[in-house]
């Protein structure tokens, strides 16, 4: 992992980026100047929990509880944060 | 973890085969599953600048007196949103020449668009930018031309250099991301390092170095604008160095001009795949210059709804997928990657909208591109005057004048 995501970190959607549910796509998207990304279900579940208060650890715990059958969900979630930070879609609070 | 496991970049989306021919009472019909994710509203062709490289149609003067109304635009926004449109570009001409951009912005925000005003900056006042901010406009893309007053004023045929700098500061001051678009050509490509330094000094977040593509006015002025391959290579090297230096704080896009590329571009990411343009007078187009194609009737929002235009109109279905292809495209292993390039370029340069884009090295018409590169270095042709984008020149072209500058093309650019 390149961006050293810590459980105590709090992230928010980056400035000038917008995260929203798209009815026509049936998915969450991130919109930004000159681009957009359609998120897979798992990524949407993570990003919709960014409320300015929840830490990475809180979100991991919440998703573990919500999806008890998912294998090694923590690695996936940390990987998503790492990639989203690397893409500058998220900023650290 | 790869990006694919997180989400799908819609811009770089690999186009699957999205149309399927179906037998419908013996008539082949196309069914599309695509969505017009990007809506470009070319709200006016009027413009205070006269840029030599403008991609607008040279006969734009036909469309300056019959612009659609604010109500028409609101309906366009609503209908396109229902079809899945997300990114809205408000462009022109100079969109600020309309006094209802504020209303368009408010409606766009209400509908959930990510909206972008694409402007020369002429006409942007404190009052208007304040209204855009309150209305929910997401960003402003400002065109810059050069670091020198001389080249800026020359290529735009106006005195706008000082104004551009003021507007850049105004955009930044209102908390907007600074998105600069610089069209590159022979006159400014040598200043690329200085242009990037200026962008950094202005606090640019995104810089698009858009090498001129030859459509509209830029095709008429191709011999006057086209740089050499060495200049392009140098500019790209300088850009890469600069990118390494500034890192993530400034994203720089370098758009390679297709005349110098090995493979044709996947034009508009595919015909009727993700882009929809509505023009000043309400015509619905799959790309900026589609009107050069022969025998096509494009829908107009005064007569048809956008849903019909996108899904059912013969024009939008004409070049969807690859059923229309001829050889060498039809059996080419690259066909899914580039979809045979640009239909408009095939028409204008080779006289056949279904031919392979002549920029393709496999095209039987590729010699036309090689000749164009040579012509652009021919001092006699270089010395021809630039035909600036003015109402007067547009009227002349409509009247059939300036023939010597367009007769080599198979359609009026």
């Amino acid at each position: 992992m390149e961006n050293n995501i810590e459980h105590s970190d709090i992230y928010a959607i980056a400035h000038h980026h917008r995260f929203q549910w798209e009815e026509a796509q049936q998915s969450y998207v991130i919109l930004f100047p000159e681009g957009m990304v359609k998120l897979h279900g798992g990524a949407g579940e993570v990003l919709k929990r960014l409320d300015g208060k929840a830490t990475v650890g809180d979100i991991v715990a919440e998703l573990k509880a919500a999806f008890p059958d998912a294998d090694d969900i923590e690695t996936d979630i940390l990987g998503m944060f790492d990639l989203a930070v690397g893409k500058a879609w998220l900023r650290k609070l | 973890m790869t990006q694919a496991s997180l989400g799908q970049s819609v811009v770089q989306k690999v186009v699957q085969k999205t149309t399927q021919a179906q037998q419908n009472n013996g008539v082949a019909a196309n069914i599309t599953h695509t969505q017009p994710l990007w809506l470009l509203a070319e709200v006016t062709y009027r413009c205070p600048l006269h840029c030599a490289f403008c991609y607008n149609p040279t006969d734009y003067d036909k469309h300056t007196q019959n612009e659609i109304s604010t109500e028409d635009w609101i309906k366009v926004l609503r209908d396109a949103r229902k079809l899945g449109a997300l990114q809205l570009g408000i462009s022109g001409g100079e969109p600020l020449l309309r006094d209802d951009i504020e209303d368009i912005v408010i409606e766009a925000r209400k509908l959930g668009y990510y909206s972008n005003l694409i402007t020369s900056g002429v006409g942007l006042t404190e009052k208007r930018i304040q209204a855009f901010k309150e209305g929910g406009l997401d960003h402003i893309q400002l065109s810059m031309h050069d670091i020198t007053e001389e080249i800026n004023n020359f290529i735009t045929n106006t005195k706008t250099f000082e104004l551009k700098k003021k507007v850049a500061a105004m955009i930044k001051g209102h908390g907007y991301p600074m998105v600069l678009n610089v069209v590159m050509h022979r006159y400014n490509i040598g200043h690329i390092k200085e242009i990037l330094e200026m962008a950094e000094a202005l606090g640019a977040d995104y810089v698009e170095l858009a090498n001129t593509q030859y459509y509209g006015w830029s095709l008429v002025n191709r011999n006057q604008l086209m740089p050499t391959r060495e200049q392009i290579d140098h500019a790209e090297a300088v850009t890469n160095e600069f990118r390494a230096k500034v890192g993530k704080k400034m994203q720089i896009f370098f758009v390679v001009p297709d005349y110098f590329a090995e493979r044709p571009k996947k034009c508009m990411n595919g015909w009727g795949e993700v882009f929809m343009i509505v023009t000043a007078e309400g015509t619905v187009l799959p790309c900026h210059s589609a009107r050069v194609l022969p025998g096509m009737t494009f829908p107009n929002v005064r007569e048809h709804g956008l849903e019909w235009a996108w899904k059912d109109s013969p024009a939008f279905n004409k070049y969807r997928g690859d059923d229309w292809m001829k050889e060498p495209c039809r059996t080419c292993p690259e066909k899914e990657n580039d979809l045979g390039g640009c239909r408009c370029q095939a028409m204008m340069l080779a006289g056949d909208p279904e031919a392979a884009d002549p920029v393709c090295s496999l095209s039987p018409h590729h010699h036309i591109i090689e000749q164009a590169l040579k012509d652009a270095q021919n001092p006699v042709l270089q010395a021809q005057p630039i035909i600036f984008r003015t109402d007067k020149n547009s009227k002349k072209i409509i009247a059939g004048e300036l023939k010597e500058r367009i007769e080599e093309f198979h359609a009026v650019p």
Side-chain angles (χ1 to χ4, degrees):
Chain A
M1 251 190 266
E2 291 168 22
N3 297 295
N4 294 320
I5 308 294
E6 303 284 348
H7 274 66
S8 56
D9 292 345
I10 300 175
Y11 286 95
I13 301 294
H15 291 300
H16 314 310
H17 286 52
R18 199 194 305 152
F19 170 74
Q20 69 187 32
W21 172 255
E22 271 305 297
E23 202 55 41
Q25 318 275 347
Q26 288 296 303
S27 72
Y28 285 97
V29 294
I30 303 177
L31 301 164
F32 48 90
E34 313 296 313
M36 61 178 114
V37 171
K38 186 172 159 180
L39 297 165
H40 292 159
E45 287 297 322
V46 172
L47 296 191
K48 77 180 191 193
R49 288 173 164 77
L50 299 175
D51 59 359
K53 290 184 203 117
T55 62
V56 171
D58 294 339
I59 292 172
V60 168
E62 203 181 322
L63 286 169
K64 270 185 175 169
F67 301 97
D69 299 333
D71 271 350
D72 200 12
I73 196 171
E74 182 164 350
T75 306
D76 283 351
I77 296 167
L78 294 177
M80 272 174 206
F81 272 106
D82 186 50
L83 188 63
V85 170
K87 291 271 179 197
W89 297 335
L90 299 182
R91 66 191 163 96
K92 202 166 169 178
L93 293 184
Chain B
M1 179 167 248
T2 63
Q3 178 165 335
S5 58
L6 177 61
Q8 186 182 27
S9 166
V10 175
V11 202
Q12 295 144 15
K13 182 176 90 162
V14 179
V15 174
Q16 313 289 332
K17 195 172 157 74
T18 47
T19 61
Q20 52 192 82
Q22 280 207 338
Q23 287 307 113
N24 180 6
N25 295 331
V27 182
N30 281 324
I31 293 182
T32 181
H33 303 290
T34 62
Q35 292 176 326
L37 299 172
W38 297 70
L39 173 65
L40 184 69
E42 279 184 347
V43 294
T44 182
Y45 288 116
R46 292 171 290 138
C47 191
L49 271 65
H50 308 302
C51 302
F53 52 74
C54 184
Y55 69 76
N56 280 168
T58 55
D59 63 358
Y60 75 82
D61 193 62
K62 283 182 196 165
H63 311 303
T64 53
Q65 303 302 318
N66 53 353
E67 291 177 4
I68 58 173
S69 66
T70 310
E71 292 67 39
D72 292 330
W73 279 114
I74 302 282
K75 185 167 184 327
V76 163
L77 296 187
R78 288 179 185 163
D79 292 352
R81 190 78 182 98
K82 278 183 213 148
L83 290 169
L86 270 167
Q87 283 274 3
L88 171 68
I90 304 167
S91 182
E94 172 49 63
L96 293 172
L97 288 182
R98 283 186 69 119
D99 59 12
D100 59 359
I101 302 303
E102 288 79 350
D103 303 317
I104 291 172
V105 160
I106 290 169
E107 184 68 19
R109 183 68 193 90
K110 214 188 290 173
L111 292 166
Y113 280 101
Y114 194 83
S115 58
N116 174 18
L117 177 70
I118 301 165
T119 180
S120 68
V122 179
L124 191 61
T125 58
E126 274 296 333
K127 188 173 171 221
R128 293 198 84 177
I129 197 169
Q130 188 75 41
F132 295 148
K133 192 77 193 173
E134 283 162 15
L137 179 71
D138 290 290
H139 75 114
I140 298 174
Q141 180 186 306
L142 178 65
S143 61
M144 296 293 274
H145 302 283
D146 198 35
I147 37 139
T148 71
E149 183 161 8
E150 184 197 356
I151 298 296
N152 176 84
N153 293 358
F154 168 65
I155 207 73
T156 64
N157 206 13
T158 55
K159 291 185 175 148
T160 49
F161 185 66
E162 286 304 318
L163 176 135
K164 295 264 180 194
K165 289 198 290 188
K166 271 187 212 143
V167 168
M170 202 193 287
I171 292 171
K172 197 77 185 168
H174 281 266
Y176 275 113
M178 170 73 73
V179 184
L180 296 183
N181 179 285
V182 188
V183 176
M184 305 300 300
H185 43 74
R186 182 184 298 163
Y187 292 95
N188 65 3
I189 196 161
H191 305 156
I192 197 151
K193 182 160 176 279
E194 291 79 6
I195 289 172
L196 286 167
E197 283 165 357
M198 170 185 73
E200 190 184 9
L202 291 171
D205 300 284
Y206 301 83
V207 180
E208 187 176 317
L209 300 170
N211 279 287
T212 304
Q213 308 268 11
Y214 298 98
Y215 297 91
W217 298 87
S218 56
L219 184 57
V220 176
N221 294 309
R222 192 173 60 181
N223 292 328
Q224 289 71 44
L225 295 173
M226 196 189 293
T228 62
R229 184 179 298 274
E230 290 69 33
Q231 285 176 308
I232 304 256
D233 291 346
H234 177 254
E236 194 164 15
V238 170
T239 302
N240 286 337
E241 261 171 51
F242 201 88
R243 221 181 246 143
K245 195 187 89 185
V246 292
K248 272 188 208 167
K249 72 168 179 178
M250 186 165 125
Q251 290 201 43
I252 309 170
F253 304 94
F254 186 89
V255 183
V256 178
D258 59 355
Y259 278 47
F260 294 90
E262 277 295 297
R263 313 288 326 136
K265 59 182 179 285
K266 186 180 197 174
C267 203
M268 308 313 287
N269 217 34
W271 181 273
E273 286 290 333
V274 290
F275 286 92
M276 180 163 68
I277 298 175
V278 179
T279 68
E281 81 290 4
T283 305
V284 192
L285 299 174
C287 79
H288 307 88
S289 62
R291 282 179 283 205
V292 303
L293 299 171
M296 302 278 277
T297 307
F298 290 101
N300 190 290
V301 298
R302 288 180 164 125
E303 292 150 28
H304 290 286
L306 283 186
E307 185 174 2
W308 182 86
W310 181 261
K311 292 183 178 169
D312 301 321
S313 69
F316 272 80
N317 283 304
K318 179 94 181 170
Y319 298 116
R320 274 199 174 116
D322 56 18
D323 288 346
W324 54 271
M325 280 182 187
K326 289 181 179 173
E327 294 297 354
C329 298
R330 179 170 282 281
T331 53
C332 182
E334 296 282 331
K335 73 173 176 183
E336 295 296 324
N337 296 328
D338 54 41
L339 292 168
C342 170
R343 297 305 89 227
C344 304
Q345 203 148 259
M347 177 60 208
M348 284 189 292
L349 303 186
D352 178 359
E354 291 167 16
D357 186 332
V359 305
C360 179
S361 58
L362 303 169
S363 159
H365 298 103
H366 189 60
H367 60 92
I368 296 171
I369 297 295
E370 288 167 349
Q371 187 61 46
L373 299 182
K374 276 186 208 146
D375 286 351
Q377 303 312 317
N378 177 335
V380 177
L381 296 173
Q382 284 184 343
Q384 288 173 330
I386 287 180
I387 313 278
F388 286 102
R389 178 211 196 274
T390 62
D391 295 355
K392 197 173 154 201
N393 283 334
S394 184
K395 286 185 172 77
K396 279 189 186 173
I397 288 173
I398 294 166
E401 295 172 45
L402 301 172
K403 263 210 163 53
E404 70 285 359
R405 295 293 292 273
I406 50 179
E407 64 195 356
E408 70 176 289
F409 309 119
H410 295 267
V412 176

